[in-house]
Amino acid sequence: MGGTGGTGGAAGGGAGGAGAAGTSGGAGDAGTAGAGGLGGAAGASNTITTFTINATATRHPRNIVAGPDGNLWFTEDIDGRIGRVTPAGVITEFTVPTPQVSTYDITVGQDGNLWFTEIAQVNNRSSQIGRITPAGLITEFTTPSPTDRHSRISAGPDGNIWFVEPDVHMIARITLTGTVTEFPLLTGIGPQDIIGGPDGNLWISEGFQIDRMTPAGVITPFPMPSVDFAPYHLAFGPDGNLWMTEEIVYKIARMTLAGTVTEFTIPTRSAGPWEIERGPDGNLWYTLSINRIGRITPAGVVDQFLLPGPPPTITAAAAAGVAAGPDGNIWFTQFSLGKVGYITP
């Protein structure tokens, strides 16, 4: 059914200046290619390189995206910053104007800017949507549901920016000038992720189903095959299908636009898959919470690679975000290690 309109959010007045340049980290060790099993170290054909964001203070990079300027941009959850890293590893940080917020997800708008979500860390702050230009100028926009944890965000096929509001069980649309409209979902379970599809619609994971939503707010639900099937993060693959992670059951799933679902079990049983993204090599890449990155082909063949850092049983060394870079590599963030890096596909 169609959603109801909300109120428009006003633009915030704060502008962020250029942050201090970060410190480049060292290259990751090369080892033997790891196929199957728990995932081995990257071999000669899958070289891993990491960069430390700040040499004196640990950062917490969350999600990452390829920017319109040929660089990678990432959020710094907890730290209230947006980071930029060149393909050569030069890092610059930008502090958002509002204090005590976490920057969580980030996407690229059709206006050539980057849009991101801000989640309030304390009760007297409001969650907002932020926009940062490639030069580092930040503008913040208020929303009709400021107490919600605005988490995932995506550019829509209609030229607007869309984001999820899990606490109030809504999807929201923000125009490039900052007007926000909210659309209620069909269930009482908060949405997890949203992504624009090749069919001109939005696709949403919520509870135990996938929703297809038109830009006008009309929703068609696709229930999942079982009650333990809880789709998490989404990506469209090179095959035109919708791919998703199932964190709690250690699986990756593929769904056709008609709703046919196929599941693939990953080798690691101690941690589920998290983010997933289409790679330039015709495969999909995903991160795991025990410091690994995985690759799955459209046919369902899985490889996993151990990233540099503490022992892989330490979940604090989680690999978080993943993105295809403009340099043809797969970029990732290491949340608790304060690093970003890439693996050659």
Side-chain angles (χ1 to χ4, degrees):
M1 70 182 173
T4 57
T7 58
T23 303
S24 297
D29 295 332
T32 304
L38 292 180
S45 61
N46 298 107
T47 303
I48 295 174
T49 304
T50 61
F51 306 96
T52 299
I53 296 171
N54 188 292
T56 59
T58 299
R59 304 302 195 205
H60 300 85
R62 175 67 70 179
N63 289 304
I64 188 168
V65 69
D69 57 348
N71 298 311
L72 284 300
W73 291 75
F74 56 92
T75 56
E76 294 186 26
D77 195 356
I78 303 174
D79 308 311
R81 295 180 177 87
I82 298 295
R84 180 183 66 206
V85 57
T86 70
V90 178
I91 295 172
T92 306
E93 296 177 281
F94 304 90
T95 301
V96 301
T98 301
Q100 295 179 301
V101 296
S102 295
T103 55
Y104 194 85
D105 198 15
I106 189 166
T107 191
V108 178
Q110 290 188 12
D111 57 351
N113 297 312
L114 296 110
W115 292 73
F116 58 92
T117 51
E118 294 182 17
I119 301 174
Q121 295 178 2
V122 292
N123 291 333
N124 63 341
R125 301 293 181 192
S126 297
S127 295
Q128 301 179 107
I129 299 300
R131 180 184 66 204
I132 183 169
T133 69
L137 182 67
I138 295 176
T139 305
E140 295 171 307
F141 300 91
T142 59
T143 69
S145 301
T147 60
D148 184 89
R149 293 168 298 134
H150 308 334
S151 52
R152 307 292 295 187
I153 192 168
S154 178
D158 59 347
N160 296 308
I161 305 296
W162 293 74
F163 59 96
V164 301
E165 296 183 304
D167 297 329
V168 295
H169 311 147
M170 292 187 182
I171 296 297
R173 177 187 67 210
I174 181 169
T175 67
L176 300 183
T177 56
T179 300
V180 179
T181 305
E182 294 179 315
F183 301 87
L185 292 174
L186 301 178
T187 70
I189 301 176
Q192 293 284 357
D193 200 4
I194 185 168
I195 187 172
D199 58 346
N201 295 309
L202 287 305
W203 292 78
I204 302 155
S205 57
E206 63 155 333
F208 304 100
Q209 68 184 39
I210 293 291
D211 292 335
R212 183 185 65 212
M213 179 177 177
T214 70
V218 179
I219 296 173
T220 302
F222 295 88
M224 294 296 99
S226 63
V227 294
D228 63 348
F229 192 130
Y232 196 37
H233 290 156
L234 308 174
F236 274 95
D239 54 357
N241 294 314
L242 181 66
W243 289 75
M244 64 202 77
T245 57
E246 297 180 74
E247 184 181 17
I248 61 175
V249 293
Y250 317 112
K251 293 180 180 179
I252 303 285
R254 178 187 67 212
M255 189 180 91
T256 68
L257 299 190
T260 301
V261 176
T262 305
E263 294 179 290
F264 304 94
T265 301
I266 64 172
T268 308
R269 303 296 296 175
S270 57
W274 197 23
E275 295 286 346
I276 187 167
E277 183 61 69
R278 176 180 175 174
D281 58 342
N283 299 309
L284 293 108
W285 291 75
Y286 60 92
T287 54
L288 296 107
S289 61
I290 53 171
N291 205 31
R292 288 186 176 90
I293 191 166
R295 177 182 63 205
I296 182 168
T297 70
V301 179
V302 176
D303 292 324
Q304 292 186 167
F305 307 93
L306 177 63
L307 300 177
T313 55
I314 299 178
T315 57
V322 62
D327 55 353
N329 295 316
I330 305 298
W331 284 74
F332 57 85
T333 62
Q334 289 179 289
F335 180 77
S336 296
L337 299 183
K339 295 183 179 183
V340 296
Y342 64 83
I343 179 172
T344 56

